[in-house]
Amino acid sequence: VQLQASGGGLVQAGGSLRLSCAASGTIFSINAMTWYRQPPGKRREPVATITSDGSTNYADAVKGRFTISKDNAKNTVYLRMNSLKPEDTAVYYCLGEIRVSATDPPYNTWGQGTLVTVSS
């Protein structure tokens, strides 16, 4: 299974971006998908999670500005980021908790990062 993240770029403060993370390969089910970010010189931190039943959870820093969603048919999760701030500048990664069969336990797999730069 591979996760392919895309959609990063340079945006001015107050602007918006939408990130995508597409899972490919042999996928039986996706238990959850989480977006993480790693600001320059800092640790990677969780941003938003969506579970198989559609439940969502957000970091306090992005609540009300970011929205996570998914398209089950495409095995793709999105992160809509509005009202972006310079402090949102980071490399954004997606993490999938994925099962490849009904009998295998879920395992975690990371996508490559996509850089988001917010200018002031």
Side-chain angles (χ1 to χ4, degrees), residues 22-81:
S24 61
T26 302
I27 298 170
F28 174 76
S29 65
I30 299 177
N31 287 6
M33 295 281 276
T34 300
W35 283 100
Y36 281 76
R37 68 185 181 186
Q38 187 166 13
K42 297 184 179 180
R43 292 183 176 182
R44 195 173 297 188
E45 59 188 17
V47 175
T49 298
I50 188 165
T51 62
S52 57
D53 66 0
S55 298
T56 58
N57 191 48
Y58 296 92
D60 288 343
V62 307
K63 282 180 180 177
R65 300 189 297 121
F66 291 10
T67 302
I68 190 169
S69 62
K70 63 189 176 89
D71 184 331
N72 291 331
K74 297 181 179 179
N75 286 327
T76 298
V77 66
Y78 304 97
L79 186 68
R80 178 68 180 180
M81 305 185 295

